[in-house]
Amino acid sequence: MKILGSVLALVLAVQAGKEPRPPQDIPPIGKAKPLLYEDFETTAPGQIPKGYQKQGEVAVVDGVGHSGRRCLRVEAAVNGPRRITANGDAIKAIGGQHWGRLYYKVQLPTAVPANGVIHSTLVAGSATSPLAKDPIEVRPLDTILNTGGQYGFIYNVQPRQRPEFGKGSPGTFKFTDQWTLAEWYVDFATQTYRLFINGEEVKEIAFMKGAGQFKDAEIPESFESLSFGWWNYQKAEPGFVAFIDDIAIAKDRLGARLVPPPAKGLKK
């Protein structure tokens, strides 16, 4: 997988005035049944859920779940993937429009780059580009960590043979060991992307290109796989230990819907 050296420049390249204005509404929580749901409660510690494949050191652990006892733990690594991936007909059937939702937290202290940035992917989908008809990975939940220990989010697309591109937000967030709710929205029909963190939209990253306007978006008509975990591309010492829970994909916005309150006495 090719990662360009100038990721920081990519983050700062926010386009101005040449595309339709992103949506300004606040999407309501819907009632649609999840098309994918995983809270890890039925998976034994040390394993991954049935129907997923894994890359790198990642497994279910007990006692640190967001809404129950269990969640997915991503182990530290200098770089490279630690994630689980679902593919097949069920993923393809989701199509090119969905709301995604998960909770994540990071063990402190985290790695901080001595120079440059650390680009990490939490959620990615493999697909065929609607523009170039070549293999791409669409990353709706990525972070860019700077030397000050702050990070921004980025919508990022990595073609297999072409340069990557994306749109990012300022680095105003800090990793925390408390659970963070991330929600993303993609729509092939309107080439729209949105991201909400703890219920607040990250407006700098949103776009709505319009029907058939695939340039700098390339949201596919369907996905071949969806991956959840952590992949940092630049070297990071001592790495990132992260936890992910309550993953869901639906046609409507989910927010905290279907997430039971944490059980008393469990670590948050």
Side-chain angles (χ1 to χ4, degrees):
M1 180 171 295
K2 299 183 294 183
I3 302 298
L4 297 184
S6 185
V7 177
L8 183 58
L10 180 150
V11 173
L12 298 176
V14 178
Q15 302 169 10
K18 293 185 178 180
E19 62 187 44
R21 188 179 182 187
Q24 301 299 303
D25 64 320
I26 300 176
I29 303 302
K31 297 181 180 180
K33 182 180 179 180
L35 302 172
L36 180 150
Y37 186 85
E38 183 54 64
D39 63 7
F40 304 101
E41 293 301 303
T42 61
T43 301
Q47 304 298 314
I48 64 169
K50 184 179 180 180
Y52 289 82
Q53 297 80 46
K54 76 171 187 175
Q55 292 176 282
E57 293 299 315
V58 58
V60 169
V61 293
D62 197 44
V64 291
H66 170 258
S67 62
R69 290 204 59 88
R70 296 174 183 173
C71 69
L72 188 71
R73 176 181 166 117
V74 176
E75 299 296 343
V78 173
N79 57 16
R82 291 88 72 203
R83 63 184 185 177
I84 59 173
T85 299
N87 54 31
D89 292 341
I91 300 301
K92 292 179 182 179
I94 293 171
Q97 180 270 325
H98 74 252
W99 278 93
R101 190 266 332 266
L102 59 74
Y103 287 82
Y104 71 94
K105 66 177 181 176
V106 182
Q107 182 174 289
L108 301 178
T110 68
V112 176
N115 51 68
V117 297
I118 299 174
H119 176 192
S120 300
T121 293
L122 282 71
V123 178
S126 64
T128 297
S129 167
L131 179 66
K133 309 302 182 184
D134 60 347
I136 58 174
E137 185 172 81
V138 177
R139 301 163 179 166
L141 184 60
D142 273 23
T143 64
I144 301 285
L145 180 68
N146 63 31
T147 55
Q150 294 180 304
Y151 70 93
F153 292 96
I154 180 173
Y155 170 83
N156 184 217
V157 175
Q158 177 69 69
R160 189 173 296 174
Q161 301 295 332
R162 296 179 285 126
E164 69 176 341
F165 64 88
K167 184 175 183 180
S169 72
T172 57
F173 296 84
K174 276 189 169 289
F175 287 123
T176 173
D177 58 2
Q178 300 299 304
W179 288 104
T180 297
L181 169 62
E183 304 171 80
W184 64 92
Y185 175 72
V186 292
D187 181 28
F188 166 78
T190 59
Q191 290 297 295
T192 297
Y193 167 77
R194 304 178 76 172
L195 178 70
F196 291 75
I197 300 297
N198 289 330
E200 297 291 328
E201 184 164 17
V202 184
K203 294 184 178 179
E204 300 92 341
I205 203 173
F207 59 78
M208 183 176 64
K209 302 289 186 177
Q213 301 302 306
F214 302 130
K215 186 177 185 300
D216 297 325
E218 298 191 33
I219 296 171
E221 195 167 6
S222 66
F223 288 91
E224 297 162 10
S225 70
L226 290 172
S227 300
F228 309 95
W230 204 280
W231 186 329
N232 53 284
Y233 304 105
Q234 292 77 27
K235 289 185 178 180
E237 295 284 2
F240 299 88
V241 175
F243 302 86
I244 292 174
D245 204 359
D246 294 319
I247 299 169
I249 303 290
K251 290 298 183 180
D252 291 342
R253 187 180 177 190
L254 285 152
R257 185 166 70 87
L258 305 176
V259 178
K264 292 181 179 180
L266 295 185
K267 296 179 181 180
K268 290 289 298 289

